[in-house]
Amino acid sequence: MIHKTAIVDSKAKVPSSTEIGPYSVIGPNVVIGENVTIDSSASGINSAPNVLYVAKDGDDDNNGTSIDNAYLTIAGAVGAAVSGTTVKVLSGNYVESNPIEVPAYVSVVGDDQRTVNVSPSTPTKDIFHVRKATKLANMTFK
């Protein structure tokens, strides 16, 4: 196993049977086994372009570009979102500092309306303030 915080050189050739830690920094075009190359632009497993992830085991110091590197709060992900971004909220109960200011053309989408619950930390204020072409979907607001 390669240590979870190891830095793997770009000239490395790693056997396909080697387990690589979840936070390893991989150099450009590292060859893993036969005909398998990791490009340096990969941001983690379970990632998609223009998507930021939020999960109950996340951390707002993460970059949110994959499930492995998800934000902890919706507000954290929305704060990093730009026009065209979708914030994907995984199942869980979220108590958020509010209001969350959602930029124009940003979507905040939960996994499922029954499994994503969002509550305000200040019940007398709105949970979200939205702008032009904002989408909020698949979440229950309590």
Side-chain angles (χ1 to χ4, degrees), residues 52-67:
L52 296 176
Y53 294 89
V54 179
K56 291 308 296 178
D57 62 349
D59 187 325
D60 280 348
D61 289 332
N62 288 341
N63 65 16
T65 58
S66 69
I67 293 171

Side-chain angles (χ1 to χ4, degrees), residues 50-55 67 73-75 77-78 81 84-92 94 100 102 105-118 128 130 133-141:
N50 300 322
V51 176
L52 296 176
Y53 294 89
V54 179
I67 293 171
T73 65
I74 297 168
V78 167
T85 300
T86 297
V87 174
K88 180 68 173 172
V89 184
L90 303 180
S91 296
Y94 297 87
I100 299 170
V102 184
Y105 300 98
V106 169
S107 299
V108 181
V109 180
D111 258 350
D112 184 279
Q113 187 174 6
R114 290 167 188 80
T115 63
V116 177
N117 299 298
V118 182
F128 293 97
V130 297
T134 296
K135 175 183 177 181
L136 302 174
N138 298 336
M139 297 175 283
T140 298
F141 305 115

Side-chain angles (χ1 to χ4, degrees), residues 67-83:
I67 293 171
D68 303 346
N69 293 305
Y71 285 99
L72 176 62
T73 65
I74 297 168
V78 167
V82 296
S83 180

